[in-house]
Amino acid sequence: MKQWTREERYRLLLDAEEIRPLHGRILRSEYRQTYHIQPVTGLLNDPNGFIFHNGRWHLFYQWCPWGAVHGLKYWYHTSSDDLIHWKNLGACIRPDSDFDNKGAYSGSALPVDGSIYLYYTGNHRDEDWTRKSYTCLAVIDENGRLKKKDEPLFGPNEDYTEHQRDPKIIYRKNEGKYLIMIGAQTKDRHGCVIFYESDYPDRDWHFRGQLNVPGFESFGDMWECPSVEQIAGKDVLIFCPQHLSLPGRGNDHNHNGYLIGRMDWETLTFTPEGSFHVLDFGFDSYAAECASNIEPYNLINTGNRSGDDKAVIVAWMGLPDSAYPTDDEEWQGCLTLPRELTVHNRRLIQKPLDILDGLRDEPADVSRGVIPDACEMIVRVRDGDLNLNLFTQPDGSGGFRIIYDSASKEFTVDRSQMKTRFNESFGEQRTRVLEESLSELRIFIDRSSVEIFVNDGEAVMTSRVFPQADEHGFTYEGNAAIRIWSLKHAMHEDFVI
């Protein structure tokens, strides 16, 4: 591999003073979130390396520091002891070697002997601009120091296209084997997952084979961010199939969803027990990642020793190939709230974490019809239809529309009536047919996002919104009772590079 000169490496190192003025400018944005993880500067996209380790949660995200562009990517590190209050720890993995010279792309984490092993995609470009993807390793030791392995664990597989990324590390304790899942694309342009295997977490990796998923051999042309999770005795294949159309998803061709079924690790076959389900039916959710190693968390907080009846999941509140109004302010992106993930009736259920109740500050006066900047709204529906409009103008017009038709059980969100419109070409409505009649909504509103949990997690709708100064009211029609709590500020805005 090419040996970089000191001057070339220096140009790849992040200069804090170069971007400090950008941080100061974006702090003045009216759309900065108050309790969601968001970039200290520039652009945030995929969550990475989500792990519970030594009593703390660690969560990284893909980060381009210099603006709202998908440029040279780093991993940025945040940490929390409660999944609510997050502390910025600074840039972690930097694209300062030949094998990641065009960016440190997504991946996952594993605790090993007191350290955190970070597996990521090194995006490499040759001098002729040929793209190659390397699977790389960086280690955070017991003292918090990071060291990157000098060479990749393995390079691209020539039997697939250049699209090979997003390593998910799995330790099969009973067999004493380590596996890495890679999202990939076959030579005939179909999405797939390929596996590598080793007896060690940091060396001697070899190609194991391609995942066989009967009935899904031609489901999108690329599968990003794959993982297999075991929840309540069920195997769950989570992935992002790209460039296909799905009912109720408008013109959006990038999706994040799952299959529930049975994983045969010997034959690398995942046998689905039903159809593909979308994780989030809103406008803006992608690249979801489940936390690794949550058994200690379950033991500490619930007394449950099994560690496999639930998971904690977080996603990027955004989509590929999309633009957002804050691009003009030189920043973009945030992450969803972490959510508790369980299985019920062959579907995944996503619920707000119980600890989120601790963010409640004081009840708001519902009669005023005004939405606080950051709040939680609980809507209990007694029966019949519901029309709830958030972010309405002073005369009650416009807004983010939430519509439930009791006859068809269709639940719809519509942001076409907001003053600031964006990504219209993807469609401005999203609809989900509920299995049960609508009984309750829990709605988490931040300065530029809405997360709707329907019927205790039966469905989730996550959307970015960018209300203008006079869009702060709400109206509703239907037989419902509403309560609103203002929520406390929970996200640190410290400038840590």
Side-chain angles (χ1 to χ4, degrees), residues 332-458:
Q332 183 194 120
C334 64
L335 299 183
T336 67
L337 289 171
R339 301 158 180 181
E340 179 185 286
L341 197 62
T342 57
V343 174
H344 180 69
N345 289 341
R346 297 186 181 179
R347 297 294 289 263
L348 289 182
I349 303 297
Q350 297 176 72
K351 297 182 182 181
L353 300 175
D354 290 341
I355 199 168
L356 281 170
D357 291 351
L359 272 184
R360 292 175 180 172
D361 190 3
E362 57 185 22
D365 184 355
V366 176
S367 65
R368 294 181 60 227
V370 175
I371 301 173
D373 282 346
C375 67
E376 176 188 356
M377 177 182 289
I378 294 183
V379 182
R380 300 192 188 280
V381 181
R382 297 185 178 95
D383 58 65
D385 300 344
L386 176 71
N387 287 277
L388 172 63
N389 298 326
L390 308 178
F391 307 111
T392 57
Q393 298 171 42
D395 63 358
S397 64
F400 182 92
R401 303 177 64 200
I402 300 170
I403 306 161
Y404 174 65
D405 184 308
S406 59
S408 63
K409 294 186 180 178
E410 289 186 340
F411 186 89
T412 299
V413 293
D414 181 341
R415 64 182 179 192
S416 66
Q417 303 304 305
M418 299 286 291
K419 285 187 176 181
T420 301
R421 297 169 68 184
F422 55 99
N423 296 330
E424 297 104 308
S425 62
F426 296 155
E428 296 181 284
Q429 288 189 347
R430 294 289 184 268
T431 297
R432 163 83 152 86
V433 178
L434 303 183
E435 295 180 1
E436 303 293 335
S437 297
L438 178 62
S439 59
E440 182 186 86
L441 302 177
R442 286 188 70 182
I443 306 174
F444 288 85
I445 299 172
D446 211 339
R447 288 179 176 168
S448 57
S449 66
V450 177
E451 291 170 89
I452 305 170
F453 296 83
V454 183
N455 287 351
D456 204 22
E458 177 189 338

Side-chain angles (χ1 to χ4, degrees), residues 37-305:
I37 293 174
Q38 60 195 336
V40 64
T41 63
L43 180 139
L44 165 157
N45 58 309
D46 298 8
N48 298 312
F50 190 16
I51 191 170
F52 185 76
H53 178 70
N54 287 344
R56 289 192 66 80
W57 297 91
H58 297 268
L59 180 54
F60 306 79
Y61 58 78
Q62 255 191 357
W63 176 51
C64 179
W66 299 282
V69 294
H70 287 275
L72 190 66
K73 295 293 179 68
Y74 291 65
W75 275 32
Y76 193 92
H77 188 182
T78 66
S79 182
S80 173
D81 60 8
D82 63 2
L83 287 171
I84 296 179
H85 301 87
W86 293 92
K87 182 178 180 181
N88 290 332
L89 299 183
C92 180
I93 301 177
R94 300 171 181 242
D96 55 6
S97 58
D98 184 71
F99 48 80
D100 57 16
N101 65 2
K102 291 303 174 185
Y105 281 24
S106 293
S108 56
L110 183 74
V112 179
D113 298 329
S115 298
I116 300 176
Y117 280 38
L118 302 176
Y119 299 81
Y120 71 99
T121 296
N123 186 24
H124 169 85
R125 296 282 185 174
D126 289 335
E127 293 181 358
D128 64 359
W129 213 241
T130 300
R131 175 178 175 174
K132 294 181 180 177
S133 296
Y134 293 96
T135 298
C136 307
L137 175 64
V139 178
I140 301 176
D141 67 18
E142 297 91 336
N143 298 311
R145 295 185 297 259
L146 181 128
K147 180 176 175 54
K148 292 167 69 172
K149 190 174 176 63
D150 292 336
E151 297 291 329
L153 298 179
F154 50 85
N157 190 311
E158 298 301 324
D159 293 332
Y160 298 83
T161 72
E162 66 179 29
H163 295 289
Q164 302 173 43
R165 52 186 175 268
D166 309 335
K168 173 66 175 183
I169 181 68
I170 297 170
Y171 178 51
R172 299 282 297 163
K173 186 175 181 180
N174 291 341
E175 294 88 15
K177 298 288 186 182
Y178 295 88
L179 293 169
I180 288 179
M181 301 177 68
I182 301 285
Q185 182 185 65
T186 64
K187 287 291 183 72
D188 56 356
R189 301 297 193 270
H190 293 143
C192 67
V193 175
I194 56 178
F195 280 87
Y196 289 79
E197 185 178 84
S198 177
D199 293 329
Y200 309 96
D202 58 353
R203 64 185 190 276
D204 298 343
W205 289 89
H206 64 272
F207 181 67
R208 172 73 188 280
Q210 180 177 318
L211 181 65
N212 176 30
V213 187
F216 290 85
E217 294 83 359
S218 302
F219 192 69
D221 65 7
M222 173 64 191
W223 290 6
E224 292 193 311
C225 307
S227 70
V228 173
E229 310 293 335
Q230 187 172 76
I231 306 173
K234 294 289 187 180
D235 293 320
V236 184
L237 174 62
I238 299 175
F239 62 106
C240 297
Q242 293 188 300
H243 307 127
L244 78 160
S245 297
L246 293 177
R249 299 290 297 155
N251 295 323
D252 184 11
H253 293 162
N254 297 296
H255 313 281
N256 197 170
Y258 64 92
L259 295 166
I260 293 179
R262 181 176 59 84
M263 179 67 191
D264 187 325
W265 294 99
E266 184 65 29
T267 64
L268 294 184
T269 299
F270 187 94
T271 304
E273 294 180 353
S275 58
F276 177 84
H277 297 291
V278 174
L279 268 171
D280 192 305
F281 290 83
F283 296 97
D284 303 286
S285 182
Y286 195 75
E289 175 151 331
C290 287
S292 299
N293 194 40
I294 71 165
E295 184 173 353
Y297 168 77
N298 283 341
L299 183 59
I300 293 169
N301 291 277
T302 69
N304 171 28
R305 294 180 179 274

